């Protein structure tokens, strides 16, 4: 076998430890430097990534669930035995649960983490993902570039999205419209965070311990496949990166480096900002990015949730567009799950999480409560009680709480006590009895908004304010707090001297003429974003 395997070549693989050997299947090298092992006796596909631009390939195995003897992290393949047969008909065994090497005798590389989940496909299934060809990627990139050139110049408001065809996902198109309120598509690099203290923030981040524990694996993935790996905080500021020298230099040109801000308000549409906004994994390819300086990149990103369900940041794998591959998303999701597991069980060297709230309440534009990572099934009335107690940590006298929930309705004290009793059981007993108050820390998005407003951080308040407080509730106490939050956020916007605040608030308040006029007063005469405010103002006439 020659030193460098080419596209379509067979790569014999052999086991190096004791274990059953079977036959059937094949191995082939694909354009992305991934060896695909197709096996007729198991219901999953194993990928062996080869190092880019190295004469001696390193071998890893995806996915994994149980380790083999003496090889920590290398998986048993599951149901049945696994084998590989080269195209010449000769059989080359792959033993379960052990390292695999190229049959030419090259040394095996480091084990990669479990990167692909189980799936229910049949023999030789690839989970519906085709290995991309370079021509297909180039065509996709060209199509997106055409769409960007057609849509962006005329995208003055969300209503302009009717111009966008089926090339873009709705998520990306909506992000384009939002981003144009604060981001120039010709921006060359991400801005620096205002405090310039990414190093100190990383030292105090709860993510540091779990990430340090996975650092070798993260560096291995980045080096072998030509990626840059990054971890951000909840604001989208990069705190940590790793990767090969060449890719790091490319990334630094756009400030994809510690201290760079990659939230949507700072850098427009990108995988990091979408994952932070939606709380779901996200991929952004080439000209799906709003900023043209990023059209040569593809980014794969997954949010990192704390034990209380809060998004603490994101984990991102980025590389050049021509290395795009569906396995990368499975990789970043698997690595993110490993980081989250480290947050749950604790990692040596990580900041202590004992004082972190075990209860997370989301009540702005949504109704959700998570305790110790598990979603609580609370009735609407119990969510109202929990929200009021979170907003007023000093607690409520029974009569005042009853009035805040029921108003003048003739509701007995025993009815309120029954609701409190149900809530107390759901929270593990953390509701005081005589004066109703929470006896354990709670993290609440409405409280976070008020805290940001008190500190004068209008940008953070707008980012966290995703809608009215418990929008379906008609409880008098909730309605009072709802009005308080709405008025406080709006007044902060109207007193801000930053036009992006008025433009962002205007997305949620399309008929608020005062906000649109305020945006126009702050925008320079030649600022293209004036079209957005002008269009919104015209729609209110």
């Amino acid at each position: 076998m020659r030193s460098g395997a080419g596209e379509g070549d067979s790569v014999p693989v052999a086991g190096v430890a004791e274990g059953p050997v079977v036959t059937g299947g094949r191995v082939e090298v694909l354009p992305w430097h991934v060896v695909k092992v197709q096996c007729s006796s198991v219901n999953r596909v194993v990928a062996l990534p080869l190092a880019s631009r190295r004469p001696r390939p390193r071998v890893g195995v995806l996915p994994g669930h149980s380790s083999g003897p003496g090889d920590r992290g290398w998986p048993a393949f599951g149901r049945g035995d696994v084998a590989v047969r080269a195209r010449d008909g000769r059989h080359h065994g792959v033993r379960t649960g052990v390292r695999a090497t190229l049959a030419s005798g090259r040394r095996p590389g480091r084990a990669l983490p479990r990167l692909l989940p189980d799936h229910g496909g049949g023999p030789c299934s690839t989970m519906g993902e085709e290995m991309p060809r370079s021509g297909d990627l180039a065509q996709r990139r060209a199509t997106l570039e055409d769409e960007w050139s057609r849509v962006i110049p005329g995208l003055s408001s969300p209503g302009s999205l009717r111009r966008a065809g089926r090339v873009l996902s709705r998520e990306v198109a909506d992000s384009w419209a939002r981003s144009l309120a604060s981001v120039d598509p010709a921006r060359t690099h991400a801005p620096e965070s205002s405090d310039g203290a990414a190093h100190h923030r990383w030292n105090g981040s709860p993510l540091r311990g779990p990430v340090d524990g996975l650092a070798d694996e993260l560096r291995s993935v980045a080096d072998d496949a030509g990626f840059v790996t990054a971890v951000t905080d909840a604001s989208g500021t990069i705190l940590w990166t790793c990767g090969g020298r060449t890719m790091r230099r490319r990334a630094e040109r756009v400030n994809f480096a510690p201290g760079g801000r990659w939230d949507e308000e700072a850098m427009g549409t990108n995988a990091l900002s979408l994952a932070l906004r939606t709380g779901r994994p996200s991929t952004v390819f080439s000209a799906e990015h709003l900023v043209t300086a990023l059209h040569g990149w593809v980014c794969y990103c997954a949010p990192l949730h704390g034990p209380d369900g809060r998004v603490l940041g994101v984990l991102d794998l980025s590389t050049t567009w021509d290395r795009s591959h569906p396995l990368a998303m499975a990789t970043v999701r698997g690595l993110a799950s490993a980081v989250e597991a480290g947050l749950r069980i604790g990692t040596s060297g990580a900041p202590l999480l004992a004082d972190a709230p075990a209860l997370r309440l989301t009540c702005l534009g949504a109704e959700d409560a998570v305790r110790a990572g598990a979603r609580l099934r609370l009735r609407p009335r119990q969510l109202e009680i929990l929200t009021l107690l979170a907003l007023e940590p000093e607690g409520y006298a029974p009569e005042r709480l009853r009035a805040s929930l029921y108003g003048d309705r003739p509701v007995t004290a025993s009815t309120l006590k029954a609701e409190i009793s149900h809530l107390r059981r759901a929270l593990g007993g953390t509701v005081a009895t005589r004066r109703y108050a929470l006896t354990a820390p709670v993290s609440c998005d409405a409280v976070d908004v008020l805290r940001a407003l008190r500190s004068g951080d209008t940008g953070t308040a707008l980012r966290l304010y995703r809608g009215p407080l418990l929008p379906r509730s008609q409880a008098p106490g909730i309605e009072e707090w709802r009005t308080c939050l709405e008025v406080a956020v709006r007044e902060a916007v109207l007193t801000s001297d930053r036009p992006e605040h008025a433009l962002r608030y205007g997305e949620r308040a399309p008929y608020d003429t005062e906000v649109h006029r305020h945006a126009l007063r702050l925008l320079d005469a030649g600022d293209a974003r004036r079209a957005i405010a002008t269009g919104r103002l015209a729609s209110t006439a």
Side-chain angles (χ1 to χ4, degrees), residues 34-56:
V34 171
V35 178
K36 181 172 64 176
V37 182
Q38 294 181 314
C39 305
S40 59
S41 56
V42 294
N43 66 342
R44 66 188 73 170
V45 171
V46 182
L48 310 175
L50 302 179
S52 302
R53 297 187 298 276
R54 292 186 181 181
R56 178 177 61 79

Side-chain angles (χ1 to χ4, degrees), residues 154 470 490:
L470 296 184
R490 183 176 183 272

Side-chain angles (χ1 to χ4, degrees), residues 12 14 71 98 112 140 143 152 186 198 256 360 444 447 458 487 491:
D71 286 289
V98 300
L112 295 180
R140 183 184 175 203
T143 301
I152 288 298
F256 193 79
R360 174 65 183 173
C444 174
V447 175
T458 303
V487 171
E491 285 303 308

Side-chain angles (χ1 to χ4, degrees), residues 13-18 21 92-95 98-101:
V13 180
V16 295
E18 293 300 320
V21 179
H92 303 273
V94 175
R95 305 171 189 271
V98 300
R99 291 178 184 263
T101 66

Side-chain angles (χ1 to χ4, degrees), residues 53-116:
R53 297 187 298 276
R54 292 186 181 181
R56 178 177 61 79
R58 300 174 67 190
V59 179
V61 177
L62 307 78
H65 294 274
S66 60
S67 299
D71 286 289
R72 181 177 177 272
W74 284 82
F77 292 118
R79 188 185 71 195
D81 296 325
V82 177
V84 176
R85 181 176 58 201
R87 288 180 178 173
D88 59 7
R90 292 180 296 170
H91 295 86
H92 303 273
V94 175
R95 305 171 189 271
T96 59
V98 300
R99 291 178 184 263
T101 66
L102 293 181
S104 60
R106 295 187 175 92
R107 291 184 301 165
R110 183 199 311 268
L112 295 180
R114 287 178 266 170
L115 305 181
L116 294 179

Side-chain angles (χ1 to χ4, degrees), residues 71-435:
D71 286 289
R72 181 177 177 272
W74 284 82
F77 292 118
R79 188 185 71 195
D81 296 325
V82 177
V84 176
R85 181 176 58 201
R87 288 180 178 173
D88 59 7
R90 292 180 296 170
H91 295 86
H92 303 273
V94 175
R95 305 171 189 271
T96 59
V98 300
R99 291 178 184 263
T101 66
L102 293 181
S104 60
R106 295 187 175 92
R107 291 184 301 165
R110 183 199 311 268
L112 295 180
R114 287 178 266 170
L115 305 181
L116 294 179
D118 286 345
H119 60 285
C124 302
S125 169
T126 61
M127 298 190 294
E129 297 281 14
E130 293 293 331
M131 300 295 182
R133 299 177 180 176
S134 57
D136 295 336
L137 292 176
Q139 179 60 47
R140 183 184 175 203
R141 186 188 188 205
T143 301
L144 287 169
E145 290 281 8
D146 289 344
E147 188 76 353
W148 189 99
S149 300
R150 186 178 68 85
V151 174
I152 288 298
L155 192 57
S156 59
S157 69
S160 304
L161 290 176
R162 288 189 294 268
R163 291 171 50 87
R166 297 183 178 179
V167 175
L168 296 175
S169 69
R170 185 73 191 184
E171 190 175 72
V172 168
D174 287 344
S175 178
W176 280 6
R178 291 191 303 266
S179 301
L180 283 171
S182 59
V183 178
D184 182 354
R187 177 168 289 174
T188 58
H189 59 276
E192 281 288 317
S193 59
S194 57
D195 58 12
H199 176 71
H200 297 294
R201 291 161 73 178
W202 180 236
N203 286 339
S205 171
L207 295 172
R208 179 175 178 179
V211 170
D212 284 350
L214 284 171
D216 286 346
E217 304 298 349
L218 292 168
R219 290 190 176 94
S220 177
V221 171
D223 291 346
D224 287 353
F227 282 91
V228 174
T229 305
V231 176
T232 79
D233 62 10
S235 72
T237 299
I238 294 178
L239 302 181
W240 180 89
T241 62
C242 72
R245 182 181 303 174
T246 300
M247 290 304 297
R248 281 207 318 271
R249 279 202 299 263
R250 289 183 178 180
E252 287 167 358
R253 291 173 195 156
V254 292
N255 201 20
F256 193 79
R261 283 185 54 199
W262 286 78
D263 55 289
E264 193 173 79
E265 187 174 311
M267 204 56 183
T269 306
N270 62 82
L272 296 85
S273 66
L274 287 178
L276 283 170
R277 186 178 183 91
T278 66
R280 300 188 304 272
S282 180
T283 303
V284 176
F285 175 80
S286 185
E288 288 178 323
H289 292 95
L290 176 73
V291 174
T292 56
L294 305 179
H295 286 190
W297 290 82
V298 59
C299 304
Y300 305 90
C301 197
L304 299 171
H305 297 90
D308 61 355
R310 283 186 301 162
V311 175
L312 302 180
V314 297
L315 174 66
D316 178 88
L317 293 178
S318 293
T319 188
T320 53
W321 68 269
D322 53 320
R323 296 183 184 180
S324 174
H325 197 278
L327 286 177
M329 177 50 76
T331 299
V332 76
R333 294 180 70 166
L335 291 169
S337 295
V339 173
E340 291 175 344
L343 288 167
R344 288 193 298 271
I345 65 177
T347 306
S348 60
L352 295 176
L353 299 177
D355 295 332
L359 177 64
R360 174 65 183 173
L361 175 62
T362 303
C363 51
L364 294 177
E367 301 172 357
D368 191 35
V370 176
R371 179 171 176 262
R375 181 167 283 105
L376 298 178
R377 296 183 177 180
L378 300 179
R379 293 196 293 263
R381 186 68 71 194
Q382 294 159 15
L383 274 170
E384 292 169 347
I385 296 171
L386 180 57
T387 299
L388 290 172
L389 297 184
L391 285 165
E392 298 202 30
E394 297 300 318
Y396 281 77
E399 284 300 320
R400 179 170 173 246
L401 182 58
R402 184 171 63 175
S404 296
L405 292 170
Y406 303 105
D408 296 331
R409 293 170 54 195
V411 176
T412 64
S414 59
T415 299
L416 174 60
K417 288 181 179 179
E419 295 287 3
I420 292 287
S421 179
H422 286 300
L423 179 62
R424 185 181 291 116
R425 283 198 298 270
L427 300 182
T430 58
V431 179
T433 53
R434 294 189 177 181
R435 182 175 180 84

